[in-house]
């Protein structure tokens, strides 16, 4: 499991064995079952998660009780309610397992220690954050400028594995369409 994390980091930032041992000492390894929650609304968000195996969904429930899928996170992805994590406040979103999942969790305190004590990790997390910002902006732009068919095709092109692993109701929510519309788009 440690090799998954090391390979992921080293794709952007080479680490010596000692540096990786130091990095690893700041993480905890955890296993969750399908449908388990890593974060629930109103929880104090203490961790961000690196997915070793499995699949997560980040969900926002609006005041009408409608569930909105904000994102999915599969192997080699990071996920949390990042707004709550970085501001050390209560969650506005929940993070739940779609499959049995194994993660490395990083507390905010340990995140700060890594940044201050190992500049390579500061650069690593800066690059990951920038990629996340770009991805979020692209998703917002797709909702503003693309129709459902275009969003469906883009998701299929970008993440075809999601279509094998995620129930259609969740994909429909992520795309902002009804289950029936998703069925029409996929036929």
């Amino acid at each position: 499991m440690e090799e998954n994390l090391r390979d992921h980091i080293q794709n952007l930032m080479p680490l010596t064995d000692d540096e990786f041992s130091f990095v690893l000492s700041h993480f905890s390894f955890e296993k969750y079952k399908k449908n388990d929650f890593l974060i629930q609304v109103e929880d104090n968000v203490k961790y961000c998660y690196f997915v070793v195996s499995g699949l997560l969904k980040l969900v926002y429930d609006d005041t009408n009780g409608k569930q909105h899928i904000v994102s999915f996170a599969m192997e080699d992805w990071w996920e949390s309610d990042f707004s709550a994590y970085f501001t050390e406040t209560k969650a506005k979103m929940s993070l739940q397992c779609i499959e049995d999942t194994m993660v490395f969790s990083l507390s905010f305190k340990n995140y700060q220690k890594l940044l201050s004590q190992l500049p390579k990790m500061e650069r690593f997390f800066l690059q990951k954050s920038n990629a996340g910002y770009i991805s979020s902006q692209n998703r917002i732009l797709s909702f503003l400028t693309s129709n459902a068919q275009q969003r469906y095709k883009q998701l299929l092109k970008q993440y075809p594995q999601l279509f094998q692993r995620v129930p259609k109701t969740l994909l429909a929510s992520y795309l902002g369409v009804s289950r029936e519309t998703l069925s029409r788009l996929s036929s």
Side-chain angles (χ1 to χ4, degrees):
M1 300 302 146
E2 291 90 6
E3 286 306 309
N4 295 65
L5 180 61
R6 184 171 189 164
D7 291 345
H8 177 76
I9 294 169
Q10 290 197 149
N11 279 334
L12 294 177
M13 198 62 49
L15 296 174
T16 66
D17 289 343
D18 287 342
E19 287 171 333
F20 180 70
S21 292
F22 175 74
V23 168
L24 188 60
S25 72
H26 290 75
F27 284 85
S28 299
F29 181 74
E30 300 171 13
K31 294 181 180 182
Y32 294 91
K33 295 287 185 193
K34 180 179 180 178
N35 297 320
D36 283 353
F37 284 90
L38 286 73
I39 299 171
Q40 291 186 320
V41 172
E42 293 297 315
D43 283 353
N44 288 317
V45 178
K46 298 177 183 174
Y47 302 98
C48 70
Y49 302 93
F50 172 73
V51 181
V52 175
S53 68
L55 185 62
L56 304 170
K57 65 176 179 176
L58 187 64
V59 177
Y60 175 76
D61 293 314
D62 67 22
T63 54
N64 297 323
K66 184 175 179 190
Q67 190 177 83
H68 302 273
I69 305 294
V70 176
S71 63
F72 297 107
M74 60 186 132
E75 293 80 10
D76 288 339
W77 290 15
W78 295 83
E79 194 59 90
S80 188
D81 178 334
F82 284 111
S83 176
Y85 176 74
F86 286 115
T87 59
E88 298 181 276
T89 58
K90 295 192 180 296
K92 293 182 181 113
M93 297 179 276
S94 59
L95 185 61
Q96 186 178 22
C97 298
I98 298 173
E99 301 172 350
D100 289 352
T101 302
M102 294 187 289
V103 297
F104 279 106
S105 59
L106 179 63
S107 71
F108 186 64
K109 179 181 171 185
N110 281 345
Y111 169 81
Q112 290 176 312
K113 282 171 43 178
L114 277 175
L115 296 185
S116 67
Q117 296 177 12
L118 188 59
K120 285 182 176 183
M121 290 307 292
E122 186 173 31
R123 289 191 305 275
F124 169 79
F125 281 117
L126 177 61
Q127 289 181 32
K128 296 307 290 182
S129 293
N130 288 345
Y133 296 141
I134 291 166
S135 179
S136 292
Q137 285 183 346
N138 286 338
R139 179 145 190 255
I140 292 166
L141 288 174
S142 78
F143 270 96
L144 295 174
T145 62
S146 304
N147 63 36
Q149 179 75 39
Q150 292 166 324
R151 290 194 307 274
Y152 173 82
K153 285 181 179 178
Q154 179 62 31
L155 184 64
L156 184 59
K157 179 181 173 188
Q158 203 168 11
Y159 304 111
Q161 63 275 39
L162 283 179
F163 288 81
Q164 308 305 313
R165 298 172 68 180
V166 175
K168 289 194 189 243
T169 9
L170 298 180
L171 285 173
S173 174
Y174 180 79
L175 291 168
V177 299
S178 68
R179 170 76 171 81
E180 295 75 21
T181 299
L182 180 63
S183 292
R184 282 194 302 277
L185 294 174
S186 61
S187 58

